[in-house]
Every structure is written in C-alpha cells, then in structure tokens.
Amino acid sequence: MKIGNEMDALTLRVVCCGDSPEKYTQIVDLTVDRAEIDQRVIDTVEQNLDAGLTRDLHNAAHHDQHGPVTYLQEVHEGGFFVTVGQPGQLQETFFGPGDWVAFTDDEGPGHGSRVGPDGVRRTMRILKGLLGQW
C-alpha cells in the first residue's frame, strides 16, 4: 500500500499475524502516509531500555479505550531483536538506528523481543487501529 508522494510516505517493517489458522507472526514491509500515522496517534512514549532486557512470546495488547492498536517504534540509538514465526522455529531480526517497526500481532502466539548489547533509545507511538486494516 503506497499513499501520497514519496516525501509523505514512510516505509516500515510490520510484525503481524500470518494467514495461517495458528496466526504465527511474520514481518512484512509496508509504506504508509505519514499524515495517516499522525492522525491516528493516541499516545507517544520516549523509551530508554537497558541492554539484554527480554520478553518471551507476547502479543500487541489492545488499548483499554480504543481496542486493537498498532505500536509503532522509531529507533534512535542502539537497537533490539524481534523473534517471529512458529514456536520452536523462531527467526530473529535486528532493528537499529533509523528503523521503524510496527507491532500489530494481536492474535496467535505472538513475538519475542530482546534489547541489543547497546540498549535502545526509541520513540513508541500508539496508533488507533491495526496498521494494514485502515
């Protein structure tokens, strides 16, 4: 999906549910209109996380008031790893400075994460609705 001209577009990676009945996570590329993102922001949180912090498989939680939401993260320094796929066959991907990654996997076994060796400084935007279903 490409909307608007290239200056208004943002290319990002999306951690989302796959098409299988089990809803295993996958990572896909998507280009979206920056104005659409700005219109959907519910909250913005600056995060500084220590190296090595890990979370086992989990889903993108629903918001108390808005239901399904997208967690869009912009990495400024350091980075983090995300594991996706079928449990027992997970694949790890690193996201570093300049990367944008969105989490919309609200079903299935979810994704895992681990902060890289340099920690991570990032901005997380919580967006109303699930990216790709707008």
Side-chain angles (χ1 to χ4, degrees):
M1 161 175 41
K2 188 162 185 173
I3 305 169
N5 66 49
E6 289 188 25
M7 295 197 58
D8 295 334
L10 176 64
T11 300
L12 46 93
R13 310 292 308 273
V14 182
V15 177
C16 58
C17 299
D19 293 333
S20 71
E22 298 84 7
K23 303 285 186 191
Y24 297 132
T25 54
Q26 62 183 358
I27 299 175
V28 300
D29 295 325
L30 189 64
T31 301
V32 297
D33 187 327
R34 288 179 186 259
E36 181 72 25
I37 289 171
D38 291 343
Q39 291 172 1
R40 294 186 170 274
V41 173
I42 298 168
D43 197 9
T44 301
V45 179
E46 299 298 326
Q47 297 180 316
N48 291 296
L49 303 176
D50 293 331
L53 180 66
T54 62
R55 288 191 66 193
D56 291 330
L57 292 179
H58 62 283
N59 288 317
H62 287 198
H63 190 274
D64 290 341
Q65 295 175 340
H66 299 283
V69 293
T70 298
Y71 296 90
L72 177 61
Q73 299 184 15
E74 175 186 8
V75 180
H76 303 292
E77 295 176 2
F80 63 100
F81 298 88
V82 174
T83 52
V84 300
Q86 183 175 347
Q89 298 178 11
L90 296 172
Q91 298 176 352
E92 190 171 66
T93 301
F94 181 77
F95 296 99
D99 286 337
W100 290 76
V101 58
F103 295 85
T104 65
D105 59 329
D106 66 338
E107 297 181 75
H111 66 278
S113 61
R114 175 173 56 92
V115 176
D118 298 321
V120 66
R121 185 176 68 82
R122 64 190 181 193
T123 301
M124 180 177 65
R125 293 168 180 85
I126 302 172
L127 310 177
K128 187 174 183 179
L130 296 177
L131 183 70
Q133 297 180 9
W134 295 344

